[in-house]
Amino acid sequence: MSTNIDVNQKEGNQSEIRYLTPPPIEVSNSKYCRFKKLGIKYIDYKDPDFLLRLVNEQGKLLPRRITGTSVKYQRKVAQAVKRSRHMALMPYVADLLK
Amino acid sequence: MNQYESMFILTPVLSDEQLREAVDRYRTLLKDNGCEVINDESWGLRKLAYPIQKKSTGFYQLFEFKADPAFIDQLELTYRRDERIIRFGTFRQDKHAIAYSEKRRTKLSGKS
């Protein structure tokens, strides 16, 4: 990773290093799968309060890139949410205030 | 003999007596066909997330039982035929689901 530095001598010997390309700051709050971490093995479709946390304001499923869950548990979440929608525990489309 | 959990919603317009009779009908249906009923829960009148058949509340009933797969079609057939039931769902329980429901039952019975 070469950051070319343009060193120019300005007023006296105070050398002011100005980067041409801004240095990349790595933000590394690495996402983790909350189900693996908490050891949850089964996502129950019968308690909507827990499932509402995995759904956005319109009632749509949150994507993996935001929640960071692994593929296996994302499928279980999707199945549980669809089942609870079918059983009218959760709305299909909503402007539910989170 | 797999383990299933079956849940259905009854229309709220029924009287208490009709409600009890409807639920008992399915209890006896399960027993007659050699199902081992493990859990029998009724959540009572509950608000639906969206109106079904122009009704916004429903009477929820949940059964957890062991049965052979052939019986499930028969059960769902009777669900469809019964016009008091506005929504039903039967799901098979894998080993994680069974463990979870046991834990949930002990927690519920412990509390209530």
Side-chain angles (χ1 to χ4, degrees):
Chain A
M1 182 186 67
S2 68
T3 62
N4 35 26
I5 302 169
D6 167 18
V7 177
N8 52 17
Q9 301 296 342
K10 262 210 187 128
E11 65 279 45
N13 55 15
Q14 186 259 335
S15 75
E16 180 211 310
I17 300 171
R18 283 176 49 250
Y19 291 99
L20 285 183
T21 62
I25 317 142
E26 299 95 8
V27 174
S28 69
N29 49 1
S30 62
K31 291 197 183 67
Y32 57 89
C33 175
R34 59 195 303 190
F35 299 105
K36 254 190 229 155
K37 184 157 274 206
L38 295 172
I40 298 173
K41 281 276 187 288
Y42 172 70
I43 298 156
D44 193 12
Y45 70 93
K46 294 193 286 292
D47 60 347
D49 329 335
F50 178 68
L51 294 177
L52 280 178
R53 270 184 268 160
L54 303 161
V55 148
N56 70 1
E57 282 75 27
Q58 286 108 19
K60 292 153 85 168
L61 271 163
L62 285 175
R64 279 183 58 229
R65 55 186 163 77
I66 291 181
T67 56
T69 57
S70 60
V71 174
K72 183 173 145 180
Y73 287 102
Q74 179 72 7
R75 288 201 194 109
K76 289 185 191 223
V77 164
Q79 192 187 38
V81 165
K82 285 167 191 168
R83 280 183 180 171
S84 71
R85 282 177 182 160
H86 175 67
M87 294 313 292
L89 298 168
M90 273 175 73
Y92 277 94
V93 71
D95 43 10
L96 47 93
L97 35 95
K98 284 289 272 289
Chain B
M1 288 281 271
N2 307 324
Q3 181 153 348
Y4 298 94
E5 63 178 332
S6 176
M7 178 193 257
F8 56 87
I9 308 175
L10 293 161
T11 59
V13 295
L14 298 175
S15 71
D16 281 353
E17 207 284 321
Q18 281 166 331
L19 278 183
R20 221 174 306 112
E21 191 269 331
V23 173
D24 284 348
R25 179 179 174 214
Y26 289 98
R27 252 185 221 117
T28 47
L29 181 73
L30 285 175
K31 276 197 192 56
D32 299 349
N33 290 272
C35 302
E36 183 204 333
V37 179
I38 293 166
N39 184 14
D40 176 340
E41 256 177 60
S42 77
W43 295 357
L45 213 58
R46 232 181 109 111
K47 199 170 167 343
L48 302 177
Y50 50 88
I52 302 175
Q53 294 178 7
K54 312 285 190 298
K55 297 180 182 58
S56 67
T57 59
F59 187 86
Y60 277 75
Q61 174 66 30
L62 173 72
F63 284 119
E64 277 173 56
F65 55 92
K66 280 198 169 68
D68 1 315
F71 169 67
I72 296 302
D73 307 339
Q74 186 195 340
L75 176 70
E76 299 221 320
L77 197 62
T78 45
Y79 278 153
R80 269 193 205 91
R81 288 214 179 105
D82 190 338
E83 76 278 357
R84 290 168 298 195
I85 290 185
I86 51 177
R87 186 65 56 98
F88 63 87
T90 313
F91 309 111
R92 183 173 170 190
Q93 289 192 323
D94 58 5
K95 63 180 185 318
H96 299 306
I98 293 170
Y100 175 84
S101 72
E102 238 145 66
K103 197 150 53 80
R104 180 173 172 263
R105 252 198 320 282
T106 46
K107 198 160 53 157
L108 277 185
S109 57
K111 211 184 314 165
S112 66

